[in-house]
Amino acid sequence: MKKGLFVSVLMLSFMFLLAACGTSQETTSGEGSEAGETEEKKTLRVVTDAAYAPFEYQDKGEIIGFDVDFIEAVAEEAGYEIEIEHVGWDPLFVEIKDEIADFGISAITINDDRKQTYDFSVPYFLSTNKILVPEGSDIASAADLEGKVVAVQAGTTGQEAVEGIMGKNNKNMKQFENNNLAIMELTSGGADAVVADNTVVEEYVKNNPDQKLTVVEDADSFASEYYGLMFPKGSELKAEFDEAINKVLDSGKYAEIYNEWFGSDPDIENLKA
Ligand code: ARG
Protein backbone atom coordinates (compact mmCIF):
# COMPACT_ATOMS: atom_id res chain seq x y z
CA MET A 1 0.00 0.00 0.00
CA LYS A 2 2.66 2.44 1.13
CA LYS A 3 4.88 1.46 -1.70
CA GLY A 4 2.05 2.03 -4.16
CA LEU A 5 1.52 5.50 -2.81
CA PHE A 6 5.19 6.27 -3.11
CA VAL A 7 5.21 5.13 -6.72
CA SER A 8 2.13 7.23 -7.48
CA VAL A 9 3.71 10.31 -5.98
CA LEU A 10 6.84 9.64 -7.93
CA MET A 11 4.88 9.24 -11.15
CA LEU A 12 2.90 12.39 -10.47
CA SER A 13 6.07 14.37 -9.81
CA PHE A 14 7.49 13.07 -13.04
CA MET A 15 4.38 14.13 -14.95
CA PHE A 16 4.56 17.62 -13.50
CA LEU A 17 8.19 17.80 -14.47
CA LEU A 18 7.31 16.77 -18.00
CA ALA A 19 4.54 19.33 -18.17
CA ALA A 20 6.83 22.01 -16.82
CA CYS A 21 9.41 21.22 -19.48
CA GLY A 22 6.74 21.64 -22.08
CA THR A 23 7.42 18.26 -23.58
CA SER A 24 4.22 16.58 -22.42
CA GLN A 25 1.37 15.79 -24.72
CA GLU A 26 -2.16 16.03 -23.37
CA THR A 27 -1.32 15.27 -19.77
CA THR A 28 -4.37 17.20 -18.66
CA SER A 29 -7.06 15.11 -20.30
CA GLY A 30 -8.00 13.01 -17.26
CA GLU A 31 -10.16 10.72 -19.38
CA GLY A 32 -7.19 8.60 -20.14
CA SER A 33 -6.08 5.24 -19.02
CA GLU A 34 -3.87 5.89 -16.03
CA ALA A 35 -4.59 4.80 -12.48
CA GLY A 36 -8.21 3.82 -13.31
CA GLU A 37 -10.31 4.79 -10.31
CA THR A 38 -9.31 8.42 -10.14
CA GLU A 39 -10.71 9.10 -13.60
CA GLU A 40 -11.86 12.69 -13.71
CA LYS A 41 -15.53 13.32 -14.45
CA LYS A 42 -16.61 15.94 -16.87
CA THR A 43 -18.70 18.74 -15.35
CA LEU A 44 -21.89 19.63 -17.17
CA ARG A 45 -23.68 22.95 -16.93
CA VAL A 46 -27.33 22.34 -16.09
CA VAL A 47 -29.80 25.22 -16.08
CA THR A 48 -33.06 25.65 -14.22
CA ASP A 49 -35.69 28.10 -13.04
CA ALA A 50 -35.47 27.58 -9.30
CA ALA A 51 -38.85 29.10 -8.43
CA TYR A 52 -40.98 26.00 -8.78
CA ALA A 53 -41.17 24.15 -5.49
CA PRO A 54 -41.05 21.26 -4.85
CA PHE A 55 -39.18 20.58 -8.10
CA GLU A 56 -36.53 23.30 -7.89
CA TYR A 57 -36.34 26.21 -5.49
CA GLN A 58 -33.86 28.13 -3.43
CA ASP A 59 -33.31 27.54 0.22
CA LYS A 60 -30.66 29.67 1.94
CA GLY A 61 -28.96 30.26 -1.38
CA GLU A 62 -28.96 26.60 -2.32
CA ILE A 63 -31.00 25.08 -5.14
CA ILE A 64 -32.93 22.09 -3.86
CA GLY A 65 -35.93 20.02 -4.91
CA PHE A 66 -37.06 16.74 -6.39
CA ASP A 67 -35.47 17.56 -9.75
CA VAL A 68 -32.15 18.31 -8.07
CA ASP A 69 -32.00 15.01 -6.20
CA PHE A 70 -33.20 13.16 -9.26
CA ILE A 71 -30.66 14.67 -11.66
CA GLU A 72 -27.84 14.15 -9.20
CA ALA A 73 -28.65 10.45 -9.08
CA VAL A 74 -28.92 10.29 -12.87
CA ALA A 75 -25.69 12.21 -13.48
CA GLU A 76 -23.85 9.98 -11.06
CA GLU A 77 -25.16 6.96 -12.93
CA ALA A 78 -24.09 8.49 -16.25
CA GLY A 79 -20.64 9.34 -14.90
CA TYR A 80 -20.83 13.12 -14.94
CA GLU A 81 -20.46 15.90 -12.42
CA ILE A 82 -23.10 18.59 -12.75
CA GLU A 83 -23.38 22.20 -11.80
CA ILE A 84 -26.97 23.40 -11.56
CA GLU A 85 -27.50 27.06 -12.16
CA HIS A 86 -30.63 29.12 -11.68
CA VAL A 87 -30.98 31.23 -14.80
CA GLY A 88 -34.76 31.68 -14.97
CA TRP A 89 -37.37 30.20 -17.29
CA ASP A 90 -36.97 32.19 -20.51
CA PRO A 91 -33.14 32.30 -20.36
CA LEU A 92 -33.11 28.55 -19.86
CA PHE A 93 -34.55 28.01 -23.32
CA VAL A 94 -32.07 30.43 -24.88
CA GLU A 95 -29.06 28.88 -23.15
CA ILE A 96 -29.96 25.37 -24.22
CA LYS A 97 -30.70 26.40 -27.76
CA ASP A 98 -27.38 28.25 -28.00
CA GLU A 99 -25.58 25.35 -26.30
CA ILE A 100 -24.32 27.55 -23.49
CA ALA A 101 -25.84 24.94 -21.20
CA ASP A 102 -25.53 21.18 -21.65
CA PHE A 103 -29.16 20.64 -20.71
CA GLY A 104 -32.00 21.88 -18.54
CA ILE A 105 -34.06 20.33 -15.77
CA SER A 106 -36.96 22.44 -14.58
CA ALA A 107 -40.18 20.44 -14.53
CA ILE A 108 -40.11 20.93 -18.30
CA THR A 109 -43.01 19.34 -20.14
CA ILE A 110 -42.15 17.39 -23.27
CA ASN A 111 -44.32 18.69 -26.12
CA ASP A 112 -44.31 18.81 -29.91
CA ASP A 113 -43.72 22.50 -30.07
CA ARG A 114 -40.51 22.30 -28.02
CA LYS A 115 -39.42 19.13 -29.79
CA GLN A 116 -38.92 21.17 -32.96
CA THR A 117 -36.08 23.04 -31.30
CA TYR A 118 -34.85 20.71 -28.55
CA ASP A 119 -34.27 17.06 -27.79
CA PHE A 120 -35.84 15.53 -24.70
CA SER A 121 -34.86 12.62 -22.53
CA VAL A 122 -37.27 9.81 -21.79
CA PRO A 123 -40.03 11.00 -19.40
CA TYR A 124 -39.29 11.10 -15.68
CA PHE A 125 -42.42 12.63 -14.14
CA LEU A 126 -46.16 12.68 -14.82
CA SER A 127 -47.98 15.98 -14.42
CA THR A 128 -51.05 17.93 -15.41
CA ASN A 129 -52.19 21.52 -15.02
CA LYS A 130 -54.60 22.38 -12.20
CA ILE A 131 -56.26 25.56 -10.98
CA LEU A 132 -55.29 27.27 -7.72
CA VAL A 133 -58.11 29.38 -6.26
CA PRO A 134 -59.13 30.88 -2.90
CA GLU A 135 -61.41 28.66 -0.82
CA GLY A 136 -65.03 29.40 -1.66
CA SER A 137 -64.23 30.48 -5.23
CA ASP A 138 -66.99 29.89 -7.79
CA ILE A 139 -64.41 28.48 -10.21
CA ALA A 140 -65.16 24.77 -10.36
CA SER A 141 -63.80 23.86 -13.81
CA ALA A 142 -61.52 25.19 -16.55
CA ALA A 143 -64.51 26.66 -18.40
CA ASP A 144 -65.25 28.82 -15.36
CA LEU A 145 -61.98 30.69 -15.93
CA GLU A 146 -63.62 32.65 -18.70
CA GLY A 147 -64.36 36.16 -17.51
CA LYS A 148 -61.96 35.77 -14.57
CA VAL A 149 -58.49 37.18 -14.06
CA VAL A 150 -56.00 34.34 -14.33
CA ALA A 151 -52.29 34.51 -13.47
CA VAL A 152 -49.77 32.23 -15.17
CA GLN A 153 -46.05 31.87 -15.63
CA ALA A 154 -45.31 33.09 -19.17
CA GLY A 155 -44.16 30.45 -21.62
CA THR A 156 -45.50 27.46 -19.72
CA THR A 157 -48.02 24.82 -20.66
CA GLY A 158 -50.21 26.49 -18.03
CA GLN A 159 -50.28 29.64 -20.11
CA GLU A 160 -51.08 27.59 -23.20
CA ALA A 161 -53.91 25.83 -21.44
CA VAL A 162 -55.40 29.12 -20.27
CA GLU A 163 -55.13 30.54 -23.78
CA GLY A 164 -57.01 27.53 -25.01
CA ILE A 165 -59.89 28.51 -22.77
CA MET A 166 -59.76 32.32 -22.74
CA GLY A 167 -58.25 32.93 -26.17
CA LYS A 168 -54.89 34.46 -27.04
CA ASN A 169 -53.97 37.96 -25.88
CA ASN A 170 -56.83 38.03 -23.44
CA LYS A 171 -56.24 40.98 -21.10
CA ASN A 172 -57.57 38.93 -18.21
CA MET A 173 -54.65 36.56 -18.46
CA LYS A 174 -51.75 38.03 -16.49
CA GLN A 175 -48.32 36.67 -17.33
CA PHE A 176 -45.41 36.51 -14.92
CA GLU A 177 -41.77 35.70 -15.21
CA ASN A 178 -41.99 32.99 -12.60
CA ASN A 179 -44.73 31.03 -10.93
CA ASN A 180 -44.16 32.47 -7.45
CA LEU A 181 -45.07 35.91 -8.80
CA ALA A 182 -48.24 34.47 -10.32
CA ILE A 183 -49.20 32.99 -6.95
CA MET A 184 -48.44 36.29 -5.22
CA GLU A 185 -50.79 38.01 -7.62
CA LEU A 186 -53.52 35.63 -6.50
CA THR A 187 -52.85 35.94 -2.77
CA SER A 188 -52.70 39.73 -3.00
CA GLY A 189 -56.08 39.84 -4.74
CA GLY A 190 -54.87 40.78 -8.24
CA ALA A 191 -56.07 37.53 -9.80
CA ASP A 192 -58.86 35.01 -9.26
CA ALA A 193 -56.83 31.92 -10.14
CA VAL A 194 -53.41 30.53 -11.07
CA VAL A 195 -52.99 27.67 -13.53
CA ALA A 196 -49.81 25.62 -13.05
CA ASP A 197 -48.53 22.07 -12.62
CA ASN A 198 -50.58 20.05 -10.14
CA THR A 199 -47.74 19.08 -7.83
CA VAL A 200 -46.66 22.70 -7.49
CA VAL A 201 -50.08 24.08 -6.60
CA GLU A 202 -50.95 21.12 -4.38
CA GLU A 203 -47.72 21.53 -2.40
CA TYR A 204 -48.36 25.24 -2.11
CA VAL A 205 -51.79 24.69 -0.59
CA LYS A 206 -50.40 22.10 1.80
CA ASN A 207 -47.55 24.33 2.96
CA ASN A 208 -49.61 27.52 3.32
CA PRO A 209 -52.80 26.54 5.13
CA ASP A 210 -53.20 30.08 6.50
CA GLN A 211 -53.75 31.41 2.97
CA LYS A 212 -56.95 29.38 2.57
CA LEU A 213 -56.43 28.26 -1.00
CA THR A 214 -57.64 25.13 -2.77
CA VAL A 215 -56.97 23.25 -6.00
CA VAL A 216 -59.49 22.59 -8.77
CA GLU A 217 -58.93 19.66 -11.09
CA ASP A 218 -60.31 19.37 -14.61
CA ALA A 219 -58.93 16.29 -16.31
CA ASP A 220 -61.12 16.83 -19.38
CA SER A 221 -59.60 20.22 -20.11
CA PHE A 222 -56.01 19.69 -19.00
CA ALA A 223 -53.99 16.93 -20.62
CA SER A 224 -51.47 14.62 -18.98
CA GLU A 225 -47.92 15.85 -19.41
CA TYR A 226 -44.50 14.31 -18.93
CA TYR A 227 -41.37 16.05 -17.77
CA GLY A 228 -38.05 15.44 -19.49
CA LEU A 229 -34.51 16.75 -19.49
CA MET A 230 -34.19 19.26 -22.32
CA PHE A 231 -31.06 19.11 -24.51
CA PRO A 232 -29.79 21.12 -27.43
CA LYS A 233 -30.91 19.42 -30.64
CA GLY A 234 -28.55 16.63 -31.57
CA SER A 235 -26.86 16.46 -28.17
CA GLU A 236 -24.89 13.28 -27.67
CA LEU A 237 -25.72 13.37 -23.99
CA LYS A 238 -29.33 12.34 -24.61
CA ALA A 239 -28.57 8.66 -25.18
CA GLU A 240 -26.32 8.45 -22.12
CA PHE A 241 -28.84 10.20 -19.90
CA ASP A 242 -31.77 8.13 -21.19
CA GLU A 243 -29.91 5.02 -20.18
CA ALA A 244 -29.04 6.50 -16.80
CA ILE A 245 -32.65 7.59 -16.18
CA ASN A 246 -33.88 4.09 -16.93
CA LYS A 247 -31.36 2.68 -14.48
CA VAL A 248 -32.43 5.12 -11.76
CA LEU A 249 -36.09 4.23 -12.43
CA ASP A 250 -35.40 0.49 -12.29
CA SER A 251 -32.97 0.40 -9.38
CA GLY A 252 -35.39 1.77 -6.79
CA LYS A 253 -33.42 4.99 -6.48
CA TYR A 254 -36.19 6.96 -8.18
CA ALA A 255 -38.79 5.59 -5.78
CA GLU A 256 -36.55 6.49 -2.85
CA ILE A 257 -36.18 10.11 -3.99
CA TYR A 258 -39.87 10.35 -4.88
CA ASN A 259 -40.80 9.09 -1.44
CA GLU A 260 -38.56 11.60 0.26
CA TRP A 261 -40.30 14.47 -1.50
CA PHE A 262 -43.86 13.29 -1.83
CA GLY A 263 -44.33 10.69 0.87
CA SER A 264 -45.81 8.12 -1.50
CA ASP A 265 -44.74 5.61 -4.13
CA PRO A 266 -44.39 6.63 -7.78
CA ASP A 267 -46.22 4.95 -10.65
CA ILE A 268 -43.13 3.96 -12.62
CA GLU A 269 -44.96 1.72 -15.08
CA ASN A 270 -46.99 4.70 -16.23
CA LEU A 271 -43.78 6.63 -16.94
CA LYS A 272 -42.34 3.89 -19.07
CA ALA A 273 -45.51 3.22 -21.05
N1 ARG B 1 -44.37 21.97 -16.85
C1 ARG B 1 -44.64 23.32 -17.28
C2 ARG B 1 -43.99 23.57 -18.61
O1 ARG B 1 -43.09 22.88 -18.99
C3 ARG B 1 -44.19 24.36 -16.29
C4 ARG B 1 -42.77 24.25 -15.88
C5 ARG B 1 -42.28 25.46 -15.14
N2 ARG B 1 -41.04 25.16 -14.52
C6 ARG B 1 -40.35 26.03 -13.74
N3 ARG B 1 -39.27 25.63 -13.17
N4 ARG B 1 -40.79 27.22 -13.59
O2 ARG B 1 -44.35 24.48 -19.30
Side-chain angles (χ1 to χ4, degrees), residues 50-171:
Y52 215 58
F55 293 104
E56 44 270 326
Y57 59 104
Q58 307 200 44
D59 186 48
K60 299 178 199 96
E62 209 193 329
I63 303 172
I64 60 169
F66 172 84
D67 277 355
V68 175
D69 289 351
F70 169 70
I71 197 58
E72 266 161 10
V74 171
E76 159 129 54
E77 185 65 55
Y80 288 96
E81 297 279 0
I82 50 166
E83 221 156 77
I84 305 177
E85 197 178 328
H86 164 65
V87 296
W89 185 244
D90 286 346
L92 172 157
F93 286 85
V94 177
E95 285 213 11
I96 298 167
K97 189 171 170 216
D98 293 348
E99 298 182 31
I100 299 167
D102 292 294
F103 66 88
I105 184 163
S106 206
I108 306 170
T109 298
I110 304 168
N111 67 23
D112 288 342
D113 190 31
R114 293 172 183 163
K115 273 193 203 162
Q116 305 202 331
T117 316
Y118 304 94
D119 281 345
F120 283 93
S121 69
V122 291
Y124 72 87
F125 201 91
L126 180 60
S127 176
T128 186
N129 276 289
K130 287 193 183 175
I131 311 167
L132 179 66
V133 293
E135 279 178 10
S137 163
D138 58 1
I139 296 168
S141 70
D144 292 339
L145 292 173
E146 220 164 327
K148 303 283 187 190
V149 177
V150 185
V152 295
Q153 180 180 11
T156 59
T157 55
Q159 174 187 355
E160 238 173 76
V162 171
E163 278 179 349
I165 296 152
M166 300 174 53
K168 277 200 175 176
N169 302 322
N170 190 316
K171 298 233 160 38

